[in-house]
Amino acid sequence: MIIDTHTHWGMCWEDRDGSDPTEWLKTLDRHGVDKAALMGHRGLTRSADIRRSNDIVKEAAERSGGRLTPLATVH
């Protein structure tokens, strides 16, 4: 089993997919990754967006069938 322990739900993913992990999971599949720890990205540079970014990461993880583990990001 391959677990990526440091991935970011980057702004490009958030802007395009909201909290839908479908395309993200396809990327993991292409690289043979079974599970990933997932952190937000937008909140790293925009403190006003931390809560929403963390909520989107949580939602994406909940929709991933257990493949994504959400981790909170703080500024």
Side-chain angles (χ1 to χ4, degrees):
M1 176 179 288
I2 297 174
I3 301 172
D4 188 330
T5 62
H6 189 136
T7 65
H8 285 277
W9 190 255
M11 288 184 270
C12 60
W13 292 94
E14 186 177 320
D15 290 345
R16 187 186 74 191
D17 299 331
S19 63
D20 181 356
T22 303
E23 295 302 316
W24 182 259
L25 295 173
K26 288 178 186 176
T27 299
L28 295 182
D29 290 341
R30 271 196 317 272
H31 296 283
V33 176
D34 300 299
K35 294 186 176 205
L38 187 63
M39 295 164 272
H41 183 249
R42 189 179 305 274
L44 291 174
T45 59
R46 299 177 186 161
S47 60
D49 293 337
I50 291 172
R51 181 179 298 265
R52 180 67 186 132
S53 184
N54 284 334
D55 287 344
I56 288 172
V57 166
K58 179 181 176 280
E59 292 167 16
E62 288 172 346
R63 298 170 73 180
S64 73
R67 291 187 64 193
L68 302 174
T69 300
L71 300 175
T73 299
V74 295
H75 191 280

Coordinates of all heavy atoms in Angstrom, one line a residue:
M1 N 0.8 -1.2 0.0 CA 0.0 0.0 0.0 C 0.9 1.2 0.0 O 1.8 1.3 0.8 CB -0.9 0.0 1.2 CG -1.7 1.3 1.3 SD -2.8 1.4 2.7 CE -4.1 0.2 2.2
I2 N 0.5 2.2 -0.8 CA 1.3 3.5 -0.9 C 0.4 4.6 -0.3 O -0.8 4.7 -0.8 CB 1.7 3.8 -2.3 CG1 2.6 2.8 -2.9 CG2 2.3 5.2 -2.4 CD1 3.0 2.9 -4.3
I3 N 0.9 5.3 0.7 CA 0.2 6.4 1.3 C 1.0 7.7 1.1 O 2.2 7.7 1.5 CB 0.0 6.1 2.8 CG1 -0.9 4.9 3.0 CG2 -0.7 7.3 3.4 CD1 -1.0 4.4 4.4
D4 N 0.5 8.7 0.5 CA 1.1 10.0 0.3 C 0.8 10.8 1.6 O -0.4 11.0 1.8 CB 0.6 10.7 -0.9 CG 1.4 11.9 -1.2 OD1 1.9 12.6 -0.3 OD2 1.5 12.3 -2.4
T5 N 1.8 11.1 2.4 CA 1.5 11.8 3.6 C 1.5 13.3 3.6 O 1.3 13.9 4.6 CB 2.5 11.3 4.7 OG1 3.8 11.7 4.3 CG2 2.5 9.8 4.9
H6 N 1.6 13.9 2.4 CA 1.6 15.3 2.3 C 1.1 15.8 1.0 O 1.9 15.9 0.0 CB 3.0 15.9 2.6 CG 3.1 17.3 2.7 ND1 3.8 18.0 3.7 CD2 2.4 18.4 2.0 CE1 3.7 19.3 3.6 NE2 2.8 19.5 2.6
T7 N -0.2 16.0 0.9 CA -0.8 16.5 -0.3 C -1.7 17.7 0.0 O -2.2 17.8 1.1 CB -1.7 15.4 -1.1 OG1 -2.8 15.1 -0.2 CG2 -0.9 14.2 -1.4
H8 N -1.8 18.6 -0.9 CA -2.6 19.8 -0.7 C -3.7 19.8 -1.7 O -3.5 19.6 -2.9 CB -1.7 21.1 -0.9 CG -0.8 21.4 0.2 ND1 -1.3 22.0 1.4 CD2 0.5 21.1 0.4 CE1 -0.3 22.1 2.2 NE2 0.8 21.5 1.7
W9 N -4.9 20.1 -1.2 CA -6.0 20.4 -2.1 C -5.8 21.8 -2.6 O -6.3 22.8 -2.0 CB -7.3 20.3 -1.3 CG -8.6 20.3 -2.1 CD1 -9.5 21.3 -2.2 CD2 -9.1 19.2 -2.9 NE1 -10.5 21.0 -3.0 CE2 -10.3 19.7 -3.5 CE3 -8.7 18.0 -3.2 CZ2 -11.1 18.9 -4.3 CZ3 -9.4 17.2 -4.1 CH2 -10.6 17.7 -4.6
G10 N -5.0 22.0 -3.6 CA -4.6 23.3 -4.1 C -5.7 24.1 -4.6 O -6.8 23.7 -4.8
M11 N -5.4 25.4 -4.7 CA -6.4 26.4 -5.2 C -7.0 26.0 -6.5 O -8.1 26.2 -6.8 CB -5.8 27.8 -5.2 CG -5.6 28.3 -3.8 SD -5.1 30.0 -3.8 CE -3.3 29.8 -3.8
C12 N -6.1 25.4 -7.4 CA -6.6 25.0 -8.7 C -7.7 23.9 -8.6 O -8.7 23.9 -9.3 CB -5.5 24.6 -9.6 SG -4.5 23.2 -9.0
W13 N -7.5 23.0 -7.7 CA -8.5 21.9 -7.5 C -9.7 22.5 -6.8 O -10.8 22.2 -7.2 CB -7.9 20.8 -6.6 CG -6.8 20.1 -7.2 CD1 -5.4 20.3 -7.1 CD2 -6.9 18.9 -8.1 NE1 -4.7 19.4 -7.8 CE2 -5.6 18.6 -8.5 CE3 -8.0 18.2 -8.6 CZ2 -5.3 17.5 -9.3 CZ3 -7.7 17.2 -9.4 CH2 -6.4 16.8 -9.8
E14 N -9.5 23.3 -5.8 CA -10.7 23.9 -5.1 C -11.5 24.7 -6.0 O -12.7 24.6 -6.0 CB -10.1 24.7 -3.9 CG -11.2 25.3 -3.0 CD -10.7 26.0 -1.9 OE1 -9.7 25.6 -1.3 OE2 -11.2 27.1 -1.5
D15 N -10.9 25.6 -6.8 CA -11.6 26.4 -7.8 C -12.3 25.6 -8.8 O -13.4 25.9 -9.2 CB -10.6 27.4 -8.5 CG -10.1 28.5 -7.5 OD1 -10.7 28.6 -6.4 OD2 -9.1 29.1 -7.9
R16 N -11.7 24.5 -9.3 CA -12.3 23.7 -10.4 C -13.3 22.7 -9.8 O -14.4 22.6 -10.4 CB -11.2 23.0 -11.2 CG -11.8 22.3 -12.4 CD -10.8 21.4 -13.1 NE -10.6 20.2 -12.2 CZ -9.6 19.4 -12.4 NH1 -8.8 19.6 -13.4 NH2 -9.5 18.3 -11.7
D17 N -13.0 22.0 -8.7 CA -13.8 20.9 -8.3 C -14.6 21.1 -7.0 O -15.3 20.2 -6.6 CB -12.9 19.7 -8.1 CG -12.2 19.3 -9.5 OD1 -12.8 19.5 -10.5 OD2 -11.1 18.7 -9.4
G18 N -14.4 22.3 -6.3 CA -15.0 22.4 -5.0 C -14.5 21.4 -4.1 O -13.4 21.3 -3.8
S19 N -15.5 20.5 -3.6 CA -15.1 19.4 -2.7 C -15.3 18.1 -3.4 O -15.3 17.1 -2.7 CB -15.9 19.5 -1.4 OG -17.3 19.3 -1.7
D20 N -15.4 18.0 -4.7 CA -15.5 16.7 -5.4 C -14.1 16.1 -5.7 O -13.4 16.7 -6.5 CB -16.3 17.0 -6.7 CG -16.5 15.7 -7.5 OD1 -16.0 14.6 -7.1 OD2 -17.2 15.8 -8.5
P21 N -13.8 15.0 -5.0 CA -12.5 14.4 -5.2 C -12.3 13.5 -6.4 O -11.3 12.9 -6.5 CB -12.3 13.6 -3.9 CG -13.7 13.1 -3.6 CD -14.6 14.3 -4.0
T22 N -13.3 13.4 -7.3 CA -13.2 12.4 -8.3 C -12.0 12.5 -9.2 O -11.3 11.5 -9.4 CB -14.5 12.6 -9.3 OG1 -15.7 12.5 -8.5 CG2 -14.5 11.6 -10.4
E23 N -11.6 13.7 -9.7 CA -10.4 13.9 -10.5 C -9.2 13.7 -9.7 O -8.2 13.2 -10.2 CB -10.5 15.3 -11.2 CG -11.6 15.4 -12.2 CD -11.6 14.3 -13.3 OE1 -10.5 14.1 -13.8 OE2 -12.6 13.8 -13.6
W24 N -9.2 14.2 -8.4 CA -8.0 14.0 -7.5 C -7.7 12.5 -7.4 O -6.6 12.1 -7.4 CB -8.3 14.7 -6.2 CG -7.2 14.6 -5.2 CD1 -7.1 13.8 -4.2 CD2 -6.1 15.5 -5.2 NE1 -6.0 14.0 -3.5 CE2 -5.3 15.1 -4.1 CE3 -5.6 16.5 -5.9 CZ2 -4.1 15.7 -3.7 CZ3 -4.4 17.1 -5.6 CH2 -3.7 16.7 -4.5
L25 N -8.8 11.7 -7.1 CA -8.6 10.3 -7.0 C -8.0 9.6 -8.2 O -7.2 8.7 -8.1 CB -9.9 9.6 -6.5 CG -10.4 10.1 -5.1 CD1 -11.8 9.5 -4.9 CD2 -9.4 9.7 -4.0
K26 N -8.4 10.1 -9.4 CA -7.9 9.6 -10.6 C -6.4 9.9 -10.7 O -5.6 9.1 -11.2 CB -8.6 10.2 -11.8 CG -10.0 9.7 -12.0 CD -10.6 10.4 -13.2 CE -12.1 10.1 -13.4 NZ -12.7 10.9 -14.5
T27 N -6.0 11.0 -10.2 CA -4.5 11.4 -10.2 C -3.8 10.4 -9.3 O -2.7 9.9 -9.6 CB -4.3 12.8 -9.7 OG1 -5.0 13.7 -10.7 CG2 -2.9 13.2 -9.7
L28 N -4.4 10.2 -8.1 CA -3.7 9.2 -7.2 C -3.6 7.8 -7.9 O -2.6 7.2 -7.8 CB -4.5 9.1 -5.9 CG -4.6 10.3 -5.0 CD1 -5.4 10.0 -3.7 CD2 -3.2 10.9 -4.6
D29 N -4.7 7.4 -8.5 CA -4.7 6.1 -9.2 C -3.6 6.1 -10.3 O -2.9 5.0 -10.4 CB -6.0 5.9 -9.9 CG -7.1 5.6 -8.9 OD1 -6.8 5.3 -7.7 OD2 -8.3 5.8 -9.3
R30 N -3.4 7.1 -11.0 CA -2.3 7.1 -12.1 C -1.0 6.9 -11.5 O -0.1 6.4 -12.2 CB -2.4 8.5 -12.8 CG -3.3 8.5 -14.0 CD -3.0 9.6 -15.0 NE -2.8 10.9 -14.4 CZ -3.7 11.8 -14.0 NH1 -5.0 11.5 -14.2 NH2 -3.4 13.0 -13.5
H31 N -0.8 7.4 -10.2 CA 0.6 7.2 -9.6 C 0.6 6.1 -8.6 O 1.6 6.0 -7.9 CB 0.9 8.6 -8.9 CG 1.0 9.7 -9.9 ND1 2.1 9.9 -10.7 CD2 0.2 10.7 -10.2 CE1 2.0 10.9 -11.5 NE2 0.8 11.4 -11.2
G32 N -0.4 5.2 -8.6 CA -0.4 4.1 -7.7 C -0.5 4.4 -6.2 O -0.1 3.6 -5.4
V33 N -1.1 5.5 -5.9 CA -1.3 5.9 -4.5 C -2.6 5.4 -4.0 O -3.7 5.7 -4.6 CB -1.1 7.5 -4.3 CG1 -1.4 7.9 -2.9 CG2 0.2 7.9 -4.8
D34 N -2.6 4.7 -2.9 CA -3.9 4.1 -2.4 C -4.6 5.1 -1.5 O -5.8 5.2 -1.5 CB -3.6 2.9 -1.6 CG -2.9 1.8 -2.4 OD1 -3.5 1.4 -3.4 OD2 -1.8 1.4 -2.1
K35 N -3.9 5.8 -0.7 CA -4.5 6.8 0.3 C -3.6 8.0 0.4 O -2.4 8.0 0.1 CB -4.6 6.2 1.7 CG -5.6 5.0 1.7 CD -5.8 4.6 3.1 CE -6.9 3.5 3.1 NZ -7.6 3.4 4.4
A36 N -4.2 9.1 0.8 CA -3.4 10.4 1.0 C -3.9 11.2 2.1 O -5.1 11.2 2.4 CB -3.4 11.2 -0.3
A37 N -3.0 11.8 2.8 CA -3.3 12.9 3.8 C -3.5 14.2 3.0 O -2.7 14.5 2.1 CB -2.2 13.0 4.8
L38 N -4.6 14.8 3.3 CA -5.0 16.0 2.5 C -5.1 17.2 3.3 O -5.7 17.3 4.4 CB -6.3 15.7 1.8 CG -6.9 16.7 0.8 CD1 -5.9 16.7 -0.4 CD2 -8.2 16.2 0.3
M39 N -4.4 18.3 2.9 CA -4.5 19.6 3.5 C -4.9 20.7 2.6 O -4.7 20.6 1.4 CB -3.1 19.9 4.1 CG -2.6 19.0 5.2 SD -0.8 19.1 5.4 CE -0.2 17.9 4.2
G40 N -5.5 21.7 3.1 CA -5.9 22.8 2.3 C -4.7 23.6 1.8 O -3.6 23.5 2.3
H41 N -4.9 24.5 0.9 CA -3.8 25.3 0.3 C -4.1 26.8 0.4 O -3.3 27.6 0.8 CB -3.6 24.9 -1.2 CG -2.5 25.7 -1.8 ND1 -2.7 26.6 -2.8 CD2 -1.1 25.6 -1.6 CE1 -1.5 27.1 -3.2 NE2 -0.6 26.5 -2.5
R42 N -5.3 27.2 0.1 CA -5.7 28.6 0.1 C -5.5 29.3 1.4 O -5.0 30.4 1.5 CB -7.2 28.7 -0.3 CG -7.6 30.2 -0.6 CD -9.1 30.2 -1.1 NE -9.4 29.4 -2.2 CZ -9.2 29.7 -3.5 NH1 -8.7 30.9 -3.8 NH2 -9.5 28.9 -4.4
G43 N -5.7 28.6 2.5 CA -5.6 29.2 3.8 C -4.1 29.5 4.2 O -3.9 30.2 5.2
L44 N -3.2 28.9 3.5 CA -1.8 29.1 3.8 C -1.4 30.6 3.5 O -0.5 31.1 4.1 CB -0.9 28.2 3.0 CG -0.9 26.7 3.4 CD1 -0.1 25.9 2.4 CD2 -0.4 26.5 4.8
T45 N -2.0 31.2 2.5 CA -1.7 32.5 2.1 C -2.8 33.5 2.4 O -2.5 34.7 2.3 CB -1.3 32.6 0.6 OG1 -2.4 32.1 -0.1 CG2 0.0 31.7 0.4
R46 N -4.0 33.0 2.6 CA -5.1 33.9 2.8 C -5.8 33.5 4.1 O -6.7 32.7 4.1 CB -6.1 33.8 1.7 CG -5.4 34.2 0.4 CD -6.4 34.0 -0.8 NE -5.6 34.3 -2.0 CZ -6.0 33.9 -3.2 NH1 -7.1 33.2 -3.3 NH2 -5.3 34.2 -4.3
S47 N -5.4 34.2 5.2 CA -5.9 33.7 6.5 C -7.4 33.8 6.6 O -8.1 33.1 7.3 CB -5.3 34.5 7.6 OG -5.5 35.9 7.5
A48 N -8.1 34.7 5.9 CA -9.5 34.8 5.9 C -10.2 33.6 5.3 O -11.4 33.4 5.6 CB -10.0 36.1 5.2
D49 N -9.5 32.8 4.5 CA -10.0 31.6 3.9 C -9.8 30.3 4.6 O -10.1 29.3 4.0 CB -9.5 31.5 2.4 CG -10.0 32.7 1.6 OD1 -11.0 33.3 1.9 OD2 -9.3 33.0 0.6
I50 N -9.1 30.3 5.7 CA -8.7 29.1 6.4 C -9.9 28.2 6.7 O -9.9 27.0 6.4 CB -7.9 29.4 7.6 CG1 -6.5 30.0 7.3 CG2 -7.7 28.1 8.5 CD1 -5.7 30.4 8.5
R51 N -10.9 28.7 7.3 CA -12.0 27.9 7.7 C -12.7 27.3 6.5 O -13.0 26.1 6.5 CB -13.1 28.7 8.5 CG -14.3 27.9 9.0 CD -15.2 28.7 9.8 NE -14.6 29.2 11.0 CZ -14.7 28.6 12.2 NH1 -15.4 27.5 12.3 NH2 -14.1 29.1 13.2
R52 N -13.0 28.0 5.5 CA -13.6 27.5 4.3 C -12.8 26.5 3.6 O -13.2 25.4 3.2 CB -14.0 28.6 3.3 CG -14.7 28.1 2.1 CD -16.1 27.5 2.4 NE -16.6 26.9 1.2 CZ -17.2 25.7 1.2 NH1 -17.3 25.0 2.3 NH2 -17.7 25.2 0.1
S53 N -11.5 26.7 3.5 CA -10.5 25.8 2.9 C -10.5 24.5 3.7 O -10.6 23.4 3.1 CB -9.1 26.4 2.8 OG -8.2 25.5 2.2
N54 N -10.5 24.5 5.0 CA -10.5 23.3 5.8 C -11.8 22.6 5.7 O -11.9 21.3 5.6 CB -10.2 23.7 7.3 CG -8.8 24.0 7.6 OD1 -7.9 23.5 6.9 ND2 -8.5 24.7 8.6
D55 N -12.9 23.3 5.6 CA -14.2 22.7 5.4 C -14.3 21.9 4.0 O -14.8 20.8 3.9 CB -15.4 23.7 5.4 CG -15.6 24.2 6.8 OD1 -15.2 23.6 7.8 OD2 -16.3 25.3 6.9
I56 N -13.7 22.5 3.0 CA -13.7 21.9 1.7 C -12.8 20.6 1.7 O -13.2 19.6 1.2 CB -13.2 22.9 0.6 CG1 -14.3 23.9 0.3 CG2 -12.8 22.1 -0.7 CD1 -13.9 25.0 -0.6
V57 N -11.7 20.7 2.4 CA -10.9 19.5 2.5 C -11.6 18.4 3.3 O -11.6 17.2 2.9 CB -9.5 19.8 3.3 CG1 -8.8 18.6 3.7 CG2 -8.6 20.6 2.4
K58 N -12.3 18.7 4.3 CA -13.1 17.7 5.1 C -14.2 17.1 4.2 O -14.4 15.9 4.2 CB -13.8 18.4 6.3 CG -14.6 17.5 7.1 CD -15.2 18.3 8.3 CE -16.2 17.5 9.1 NZ -17.5 17.4 8.5
E59 N -14.9 18.0 3.4 CA -15.9 17.5 2.5 C -15.4 16.5 1.5 O -15.9 15.5 1.2 CB -16.7 18.6 1.9 CG -17.5 19.5 2.8 CD -17.9 20.8 2.2 OE1 -17.9 21.0 1.0 OE2 -18.3 21.7 3.0
A60 N -14.2 16.9 0.9 CA -13.6 16.1 -0.1 C -13.2 14.7 0.5 O -13.4 13.7 -0.2 CB -12.4 16.8 -0.7
A61 N -12.7 14.7 1.7 CA -12.3 13.5 2.3 C -13.5 12.6 2.6 O -13.4 11.4 2.4 CB -11.5 13.8 3.6
E62 N -14.6 13.2 3.0 CA -15.8 12.4 3.3 C -16.3 11.8 2.0 O -17.0 10.7 2.1 CB -16.9 13.4 3.9 CG -16.5 13.8 5.3 CD -17.5 14.8 5.9 OE1 -18.2 15.5 5.1 OE2 -17.5 15.0 7.1
R63 N -16.1 12.4 0.9 CA -16.6 11.9 -0.4 C -15.6 10.9 -1.1 O -15.9 10.5 -2.2 CB -16.9 13.1 -1.3 CG -18.0 14.0 -0.7 CD -18.1 15.2 -1.5 NE -18.8 15.0 -2.8 CZ -19.0 15.9 -3.7 NH1 -18.7 17.2 -3.4 NH2 -19.6 15.6 -4.8
S64 N -14.5 10.6 -0.4 CA -13.4 9.9 -1.1 C -13.5 8.4 -0.8 O -12.5 7.7 -1.3 CB -12.1 10.4 -0.6 OG -11.8 10.0 0.7
G65 N -14.5 7.9 -0.1 CA -14.5 6.5 0.2 C -13.4 6.0 1.1 O -13.0 4.9 1.0
G66 N -12.9 6.9 2.0 CA -11.9 6.5 2.9 C -10.4 6.6 2.4 O -9.5 6.3 3.1
R67 N -10.3 7.1 1.2 CA -8.9 7.2 0.6 C -8.2 8.5 1.0 O -7.0 8.5 1.0 CB -9.0 7.2 -0.9 CG -9.4 5.8 -1.4 CD -9.4 5.6 -2.9 NE -8.0 5.8 -3.3 CZ -7.7 5.9 -4.6 NH1 -8.6 6.0 -5.5 NH2 -6.4 6.0 -5.0
L68 N -8.9 9.5 1.4 CA -8.3 10.8 1.8 C -8.5 11.0 3.3 O -9.6 10.9 3.8 CB -8.9 12.0 1.0 CG -8.7 11.8 -0.5 CD1 -9.5 13.0 -1.2 CD2 -7.3 11.8 -0.9
T69 N -7.5 11.4 4.0 CA -7.6 11.8 5.4 C -7.4 13.3 5.5 O -6.3 13.8 5.1 CB -6.5 11.0 6.2 OG1 -6.7 9.6 6.1 CG2 -6.5 11.4 7.7
P70 N -8.4 14.0 6.0 CA -8.2 15.4 6.1 C -7.4 15.9 7.3 O -7.5 15.3 8.4 CB -9.7 15.9 6.3 CG -10.3 14.8 7.1 CD -9.7 13.5 6.5
L71 N -6.5 16.9 7.0 CA -5.7 17.5 8.1 C -6.0 19.0 8.0 O -6.1 19.6 6.9 CB -4.2 17.2 7.8 CG -3.8 15.8 7.9 CD1 -2.3 15.6 7.5 CD2 -4.1 15.1 9.2
A72 N -6.1 19.7 9.1 CA -6.4 21.1 9.1 C -5.2 21.9 8.8 O -4.0 21.5 9.2 CB -7.0 21.5 10.5
T73 N -5.4 23.0 8.2 CA -4.3 24.0 7.9 C -4.6 25.2 8.7 O -5.7 25.6 8.8 CB -4.3 24.3 6.4 OG1 -4.0 23.2 5.6 CG2 -3.2 25.4 6.1
V74 N -3.5 25.7 9.3 CA -3.7 27.0 10.1 C -2.6 28.0 9.6 O -1.6 27.6 9.1 CB -3.5 26.8 11.6 CG1 -4.6 25.9 12.2 CG2 -2.1 26.2 11.9
H75 N -2.9 29.2 9.8 CA -2.0 30.3 9.3 C -1.1 30.7 10.4 O -1.6 30.9 11.5 CB -2.9 31.5 8.8 CG -2.1 32.5 8.1 ND1 -1.3 33.4 8.7 CD2 -1.9 32.7 6.7 CE1 -0.7 34.2 7.8 NE2 -1.0 33.8 6.6

